[in-house]
Amino acid sequence: MIQPARRPHADLTPAQHRYLSALADRDVCWRYTRLIASWLRDVGLPADRDAIEALLGRAR
């Protein structure tokens, strides 16, 4: 049986979606990527902006 494609954004709470959307939408958050990448990895999130966009179900 073929499984439907998993939609990671469907697993996010509304608050998580809003937070990650705000993070992805603001250039200032990505100026010091070494700092943010470490923090994101520590909490189990992808460490780059495009991957956050994909997690949200958006194309960048």
Side-chain angles (χ1 to χ4, degrees):
M1 174 187 246
I2 297 174
Q3 296 293 325
R6 186 170 182 275
R7 299 179 328 191
H9 61 280
D11 296 337
L12 298 173
T13 67
Q16 290 169 325
H17 197 279
R18 284 190 308 272
Y19 178 83
L20 291 175
S21 290
L23 180 69
D25 291 344
R26 285 166 178 75
D27 292 335
V28 69
C29 294
W30 299 95
R31 286 186 188 157
Y32 305 102
T33 55
R34 283 180 283 150
L35 297 173
I36 195 170
S38 172
W39 179 80
L40 290 170
R41 280 192 300 272
D42 288 349
V43 296
L45 290 169
D48 68 84
R49 196 176 197 175
D50 290 338
I52 295 287
E53 292 280 0
L55 183 66
L56 292 168
R58 308 189 308 201
R60 186 149 171 79

